[in-house]
Amino acid sequence: MSLTNDLTRTPAEPRTVGFGPLKATVDYTKLRLLPESKYPEYFNRVYRLFTGLEIDVWPQIAQYQGEDKLWLAHALHVYGTNLDVLPEDFDHTAAVSRLIGRATLRTAMPGAENDAFEREVLRASGWVSAAVVRKLAPPDSALAAKLNLIYNPPGSERDGEGRTKVGPLQANVLKELADLLAKVVDEQLRHWAPPTGTQAEPESLDHLRRIAEFLQMFVTVGLRPYADAWEAGPYFDGFRYGERLQSTWELPAGPAERLNWMMNRAQAVGWDKQRGALLAKANYDATRSGDRETLRALLEERLSTDATLSRRVGAMIKLTAAHSGGEGNISVQPIFPSPVWGTKSDWRWRVIRTLVHELMHRLTHPRFRETADGIRHSQIISEGFVDLLTVDVYTQLWDAVSRSGRGAQVLLKGLDVTKEPDPSFLKVGYGEAGASAAAIRDLVGDDNVRAAFFLGATHLIGLPTRL
């Protein structure tokens, strides 16, 4: 018995498999001639060749089922065929270990349609993420200086030479921000108050779960080769969007959560020029721990002394979509807002956008997320780029739906399918954070942004790589 591929319609060889700008070579002609008796020699030889380790790996592989061995033999072959595009410092030992572990968790066999097998192997090994990053160039020193001014906006004071600088924190201005946040809470709550004599209508979480499952697959194609390329990311750790979706009513809303909600909104509202850019006016610098603690203490005091505001913030937590971080759940509202906000079709389109936004949070690489602590306008990282990529996906989704008579019926089940998304849903939100993320992309390019966001290559957008 040889390592033949018994599946029908075996694709022609040699051929290439594309991953955006990457091309991988596929040709198993010689591998198919390998008899079963040569399995031990083959696996031991390629393991030593790729890792440099004199280890007999066959005893581990010998326990695998026949299809597991078939999968791994082909996986190691296609991986070895394409090593030349990887950086010199690439960790082949880790890559081979991932492939050995993946054999029993595989989702496609050699010969699968649309090169599904090769795509799985080269993504799971780390080949795609490493190869795509290698092809991209980081910003030069002049461009890095421009980027730094976006990440770290200059303050409102001037030094002796007339240059702007970030002066000491103006705590009195932060009190203005606290007053403004109280007004924002009231504004948002009004969107959820049903008309007198009526009750809020439930939104189908089961239907939203089905949409979430669809979006997880849609993103892999729409943002290829970046969104699903991280070998340790959600596409390889068993994450299923629909299974993680829950009602916002399940969110805890105690004192700690209320303070965190206020801190998040303080960033969005405080940098907004249309609302006075109070954080810039206050010389607020997120990289100074003292500034963060001063703002937290001020908001904590406001919540503890204003029972009405605290109660309303608790209500807003129960009505605000959220991603709890890491492998946690993603929460969406289980009801429609008041008709004052808009139609139910409008809201469904809005929820779909929210589902994309929260999925982007889940797909954010930890190294990218951690850089927020090192820049003054941290919400560029925590929300600006998230919403920038949300709009990319949402625009692609709407383009696809607009060409499909059935697309809107599936997404808007039970609602007015002739209602198009509000144009504002196709624009990047989060005020200055979103505008800054868009400006950064204009400077470094879309590929660099996606490699930084999904693969953690933060140096490609002028941020230090966090180890």
Side-chain angles (χ1 to χ4, degrees):
M1 173 178 167
S2 62
L3 293 176
T4 55
N5 181 357
D6 295 329
L7 297 181
T8 59
R9 300 189 305 278
T10 300
E13 296 174 358
R15 70 181 191 281
T16 59
V17 175
F19 297 84
L22 304 176
K23 300 295 179 183
T25 301
V26 176
D27 188 350
Y28 305 116
T29 305
K30 293 182 179 180
L31 181 64
R32 293 195 181 93
L33 302 176
L34 186 71
E36 184 178 8
S37 61
K38 294 291 185 179
Y39 280 10
E41 179 183 347
Y42 170 76
F43 285 114
N44 285 335
R45 179 167 55 84
V46 297
Y47 185 82
R48 293 166 186 165
L49 176 65
F50 295 155
T51 69
L53 300 174
E54 293 295 325
I55 295 177
D56 185 356
V57 76
W58 172 248
Q60 176 183 352
I61 299 173
Q63 309 173 59
Y64 286 6
Q65 300 297 317
E67 285 196 342
D68 298 339
K69 296 172 186 173
L70 179 70
W71 187 96
L72 185 57
H74 282 73
L76 292 172
H77 188 278
V78 72
Y79 175 75
T81 302
N82 294 281
L83 292 181
D84 58 322
V85 303
L86 295 175
E88 292 183 2
D89 61 351
F90 185 75
D91 190 343
H92 298 289
T93 302
V96 172
S97 179
R98 284 192 290 270
L99 291 177
I100 291 174
R102 187 71 186 173
T104 58
L105 301 172
R106 65 188 185 275
T107 59
M109 287 295 292
E113 292 184 2
N114 300 318
D115 300 316
F117 165 76
E118 288 78 16
R119 294 185 187 281
E120 179 181 16
V121 168
L122 295 176
R123 288 164 46 238
S125 67
W127 182 91
V128 173
S129 60
V132 75
V133 169
R134 186 188 180 196
K135 282 182 170 291
L136 300 172
D140 59 27
S141 58
L143 182 53
K146 293 181 180 178
L147 294 169
N148 183 61
L149 287 175
I150 300 176
Y151 293 124
N152 301 289
S156 58
E157 297 188 7
R158 293 187 180 275
D159 60 21
E161 299 179 5
R163 294 172 299 193
T164 57
K165 67 175 183 178
V166 180
L169 180 66
Q170 302 297 313
N172 60 313
V173 179
L174 295 184
K175 294 180 180 179
E176 295 180 42
L177 178 57
D179 293 336
L180 178 58
L181 286 172
K183 295 179 181 178
V184 170
V185 171
D186 289 343
E187 290 173 6
Q188 295 185 0
L189 272 178
R190 283 197 290 271
H191 295 155
W192 294 96
T196 303
T198 67
Q199 294 181 336
E201 296 186 49
E203 167 69 293
S204 171
L205 278 179
D206 286 340
H207 184 60
L208 295 183
R209 289 187 179 105
R210 288 191 287 273
I211 294 176
E213 293 288 353
F214 166 76
L215 290 175
Q216 185 173 355
M217 294 184 292
F218 186 83
V219 166
T220 65
V221 177
L223 297 182
R224 186 167 285 166
Y226 302 100
D228 63 348
W230 181 35
E231 59 275 10
Y235 283 94
F236 295 101
D237 67 5
F239 170 70
R240 297 292 180 271
Y241 196 1
E243 296 174 1
R244 289 293 186 179
L245 202 65
Q246 68 174 16
S247 164
T248 53
W249 288 350
E250 296 187 47
L251 290 171
E257 289 78 23
R258 297 182 193 199
L259 179 56
N260 287 336
W261 190 94
M262 287 286 278
M263 283 291 291
N264 179 278
R265 291 306 177 274
Q267 289 284 322
V269 173
W271 289 106
D272 189 347
K273 292 180 180 177
Q274 294 184 356
R275 293 183 182 266
L278 294 178
L279 285 179
K281 182 180 177 182
N283 286 323
Y284 181 82
D285 189 342
T287 65
R288 299 189 301 214
S289 60
D291 288 19
R292 293 197 304 272
E293 292 311 312
T294 297
L295 179 57
R296 286 184 69 87
L298 187 150
L299 295 177
E300 185 173 24
E301 179 184 10
R302 182 63 178 268
L303 287 169
S304 65
T305 58
D306 189 336
T308 300
L309 175 62
S310 181
R311 184 175 62 254
R312 290 175 177 174
V313 170
M316 279 307 308
I317 290 174
K318 298 291 188 179
L319 293 167
T320 304
H323 172 244
S324 58
E327 298 180 7
N329 291 327
I330 292 171
S331 308
V332 290
Q333 300 90 339
I335 58 174
F336 289 96
S338 164
V340 174
W341 182 90
T343 69
K344 287 191 288 187
S345 295
D346 284 331
W347 180 248
R348 178 67 61 74
W349 280 124
R350 176 64 183 178
V351 169
I352 293 170
R353 188 190 190 285
T354 298
L355 288 172
V356 177
H357 181 94
E358 300 306 328
L359 178 59
M360 291 300 103
H361 273 298
R362 182 65 180 86
L363 299 180
T364 307
H365 196 285
R367 280 202 300 269
F368 181 86
R369 188 166 50 243
E370 290 163 4
T371 60
D373 292 337
I375 65 171
R376 186 174 180 228
H377 193 347
S378 59
Q379 201 168 53
I380 296 174
I381 300 297
S382 61
E383 295 290 0
F385 280 109
V386 173
D387 213 56
L388 182 74
L389 291 163
T390 294
V391 170
D392 288 352
V393 174
Y394 195 73
T395 301
Q396 291 182 29
L397 176 65
W398 169 238
D399 287 345
V401 168
S402 64
R403 295 193 300 270
S404 168
R406 177 165 166 71
Q409 295 178 6
V410 172
L411 294 177
L412 300 185
K413 180 182 178 182
L415 305 178
D416 179 8
V417 299
T418 65
K419 181 68 174 173
E420 299 181 359
D422 188 282
S424 66
F425 299 169
L426 299 170
K427 297 179 181 179
V428 181
Y430 281 88
E432 291 303 305
S436 296
I440 292 166
R441 179 164 67 179
D442 288 343
L443 291 172
V444 302
D446 191 51
D447 288 317
N448 283 37
V449 165
R450 294 183 181 188
F453 186 91
F454 294 109
L455 307 179
T458 58
H459 65 290
L460 293 175
I461 59 172
L463 288 168
T465 300
R466 298 287 293 269
L467 300 177

